[in-house]
């Protein structure tokens, strides 16, 4: 595939072929849009600090460049691109476990693509979800969802309902309320990045599992899926 074609996975740093784990970062988009995703818009740039933080910690990290900006029901374009990207990663890093990290529409795509055989875990930040989103593909996966309580674009009630459904197919689901934070993760930015870093490094075994996240993963549904994310120490 030509270097400038879409979809495309873009390496962050210099991913080694012998990396212990791979992270695929999925940015947000729009409900409907056929515009090209070639330009680096804010939705893409918003996830760059997460990708760089993770790349500095050891795993190979890629950011997905979608073909178009929209989800475009019933096409689900971002989901199709995420599934394509996981196939590409399987060829570049055969047998290596993958963690998906997505924001907003990217969170929806990450959760939807989690059934790929190389995926072990998913981290969805302020995900755009509704009752139509399936959960069966999460069986055997570790799932973390985080949502701000000052959200004006996606619905925290939907991510909570999704987490409750997900708990029926995998017993390792955590959901955090990020108090004081909105959709774009500007408030408490350090807490968002710390949560993602601790989750990814823990589930991949690069670091010991974080006790706060481990405890949240073990809490029963439904009330255990409303954990408040503490401020960074």
């Amino acid at each position: 595939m030509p270097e400038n074609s879409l979809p495309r996975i873009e390496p962050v740093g210099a991913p080694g072929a012998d990396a212990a784990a791979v992270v695929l970062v999925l940015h947000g988009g729009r409900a409907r849009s056929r515009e090209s995703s070639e330009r680096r818009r804010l939705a893409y740039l918003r996830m760059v600090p997460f990708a760089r933080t993770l790349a500095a910690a050891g795993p190979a990290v890629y950011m997905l460049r979608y073909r178009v900006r929209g989800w475009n029901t019933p096409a689900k374009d971002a989901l199709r691109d995420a599934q394509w990207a996981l196939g590409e990663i399987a060829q570049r890093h055969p047998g290596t476990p993958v963690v998906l990290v997505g924001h907003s529409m990217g969170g929806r795509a990450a959760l939807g693509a989690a059934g790929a055989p190389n995926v072990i875990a998913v981290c969805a930040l302020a995900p755009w979800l509704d009752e139509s989103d399936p959960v069966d593909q999460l069986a055997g996966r570790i799932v973390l969802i985080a949502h701000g309580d000052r959200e004006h674009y996606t619905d925290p009630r939907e991510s909570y309902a999704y987490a409750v459904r997900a708990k029926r197919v995998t017993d390792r689901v955590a959901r955090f309320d990020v108090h004081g934070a909105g959709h774009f993760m500007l408030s408490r930015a350090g807490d968002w990045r710390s949560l993602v870093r601790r989750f990814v490094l823990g589930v991949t075994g690069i670091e010991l599992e974080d006790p706060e996240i481990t405890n949240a993963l073990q809490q029963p549904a439904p009330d255990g899926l409303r954990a408040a994310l503490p401020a960074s120490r």
Side-chain angles (χ1 to χ4, degrees):
M1 180 176 290
E3 190 70 22
N4 61 350
S5 63
L6 295 175
R8 183 170 70 243
I9 52 174
E10 300 179 339
V12 180
D18 59 347
V22 178
V23 182
L24 178 63
V25 178
L26 310 176
H27 63 80
R30 292 184 173 180
R32 305 202 71 84
S33 175
R34 303 302 304 178
E35 291 181 287
S36 171
S37 287
E38 188 61 62
R39 206 174 92 200
R40 291 199 175 194
R41 304 175 193 271
L42 286 176
Y44 182 99
L45 296 174
R46 189 171 291 121
M47 297 306 293
V48 170
F50 289 91
R52 288 176 175 167
T53 295
L54 292 169
V61 179
Y62 297 89
M63 293 187 68
L64 174 59
R65 179 83 66 175
Y66 309 118
R67 290 168 294 121
V68 294
R69 295 179 71 189
W71 182 260
N72 302 320
T73 299
K76 302 180 181 179
D77 284 309
L79 172 57
R80 290 169 55 198
D81 290 349
Q83 292 167 333
W84 167 86
L86 287 166
E88 287 291 302
I89 288 170
Q91 292 183 33
R92 298 187 191 189
H93 301 271
T96 305
V98 178
V99 181
L100 298 170
V101 176
H103 173 248
S104 193
M105 182 186 77
R108 189 178 205 177
L111 291 162
N118 51 347
V119 174
I120 62 166
V122 185
C123 180
L125 309 174
W128 169 42
L129 297 165
D130 62 34
E131 68 278 358
S132 71
D133 289 286
V135 297
D136 288 347
Q137 75 282 359
L138 299 175
R141 277 49 176 183
I142 308 170
V143 180
L144 185 146
I145 296 171
H147 225 134
D149 65 348
R150 298 186 181 180
E151 175 69 64
H152 298 293
Y153 293 88
T154 60
D155 192 342
R157 294 171 298 181
E158 293 288 358
S159 74
Y160 172 76
Y162 185 90
V164 172
R165 298 201 308 275
K167 198 78 167 178
R168 298 170 189 161
V169 299
T170 174
D171 60 358
R172 301 200 71 190
V173 180
R175 183 183 171 282
F176 286 92
D177 288 321
V178 189
H179 295 297
H183 186 68
F184 300 120
M185 305 181 294
L186 297 175
S187 298
R188 301 189 60 182
D191 293 333
W192 288 97
R193 289 197 296 273
S194 172
L195 178 67
V196 172
R197 183 186 185 279
R198 288 181 286 139
F199 176 71
V200 170
L201 300 187
V203 298
T204 56
I206 294 174
E207 291 185 357
L208 293 176
E209 291 190 1
D210 181 83
E212 180 179 277
I213 295 174
T214 299
N215 180 64
L217 289 168
Q218 295 171 346
Q219 293 303 306
D223 291 341
L225 300 173
R226 291 192 173 103
L229 181 65
S232 297
R233 295 175 286 277

